[in-house]
Amino acid sequence: MEKVYIFEGKNVYDLNSFFSEFAKMVNAPNGYFGRDLQSFDDCLFGGFGLEAPCKIIWKDSNISKQRLNSEIIREYYEENRKFYEKELANEIDELCKHSVNPDDYDPFAESGIKYSIEMIEKAKRGEITMFDEIVSTIQSVTRRATFNKSWVIDLILE
């Protein structure tokens, strides 16, 4: 039987309130359902209160869309960029200390910086919002849930 969740969009003011409201909706253990987009995505695949197959009805999604705007996602990726820049600096420092060939470093931090810059530019041009990113993430779960074909999440925006 398909579980139905009601998400109260009027209670969303920023990304933190979004995560809190989502955790409340699914009765997440210890009130946790992510604290960034990556951990939110992980939580969508189970183990944090969400049961699938399910339907999520996002009430007052227009209010959430106004609040989770381009500025919110720009700020989010600005913080990500800073994080990855610190990681890259630490990685280069370690390589220098141990006289390792610089070509042998893991490009993960560098990729994170490039992706963050790309997303910042899209947000500045108004091409993406945090709301768009969240909706896309939720809607793509069913396609990406290769481990379990019955892991279906149907998102309805009201």
Side-chain angles (χ1 to χ4, degrees):
M1 183 172 176
E2 183 179 61
K3 177 98 174 159
V4 176
Y5 296 100
I6 307 295
F7 184 80
E8 295 294 342
K10 66 184 177 208
N11 296 336
V12 173
Y13 297 92
D14 55 18
L15 195 54
N16 288 333
S17 62
F18 168 80
F19 294 136
S20 294
E21 192 63 27
F22 213 93
K24 180 178 157 186
M25 176 188 73
V26 299
N27 196 25
N30 300 317
Y32 176 83
F33 206 88
R35 64 177 65 97
D36 58 35
L37 292 176
Q38 293 83 4
S39 59
F40 172 71
D41 186 55
D42 289 343
C43 290
L44 288 170
F45 286 92
F48 292 89
L50 183 72
E51 297 175 27
C54 69
K55 182 180 293 184
I56 299 171
I57 301 171
W58 191 330
K59 299 275 190 185
D60 297 313
S61 62
N62 57 331
I63 294 172
S64 299
K65 186 172 186 168
Q66 289 175 338
R67 293 174 180 165
L68 297 172
N69 55 36
S70 293
E71 184 64 16
I72 298 287
I73 200 164
R74 185 196 62 75
E75 290 171 358
Y76 175 82
Y77 280 108
E78 286 284 356
E79 289 302 312
N80 268 13
R81 181 186 53 80
K82 291 174 189 174
F83 169 79
Y84 285 120
E85 285 173 348
K86 286 179 187 174
E87 288 296 307
L88 182 59
N90 290 339
E91 191 172 305
I92 291 171
D93 187 47
E94 284 297 311
L95 289 171
C96 291
K97 283 180 186 174
H98 302 313
S99 300
V100 177
N101 182 345
D103 294 332
D104 293 337
Y105 84 98
D106 180 5
F108 181 75
E110 189 175 343
S111 297
I113 293 168
K114 287 179 182 177
Y115 183 74
S116 294
I117 290 170
E118 179 183 323
M119 296 303 283
I120 291 164
E121 292 305 314
K122 282 184 175 186
K124 284 180 180 177
R125 294 189 300 266
E127 295 174 9
I128 190 165
T129 66
M130 184 60 79
F131 181 83
D132 297 333
E133 191 77 358
I134 290 167
V135 167
S136 175
T137 299
I138 296 169
Q139 289 177 332
S140 68
V141 168
T142 301
R143 176 181 45 79
R144 294 182 295 130
T146 56
F147 66 94
N148 183 345
K149 294 297 180 190
S150 67
W151 198 261
V152 175
I153 300 175
D154 185 22
L155 177 64
I156 298 167
L157 303 175
E158 290 188 349

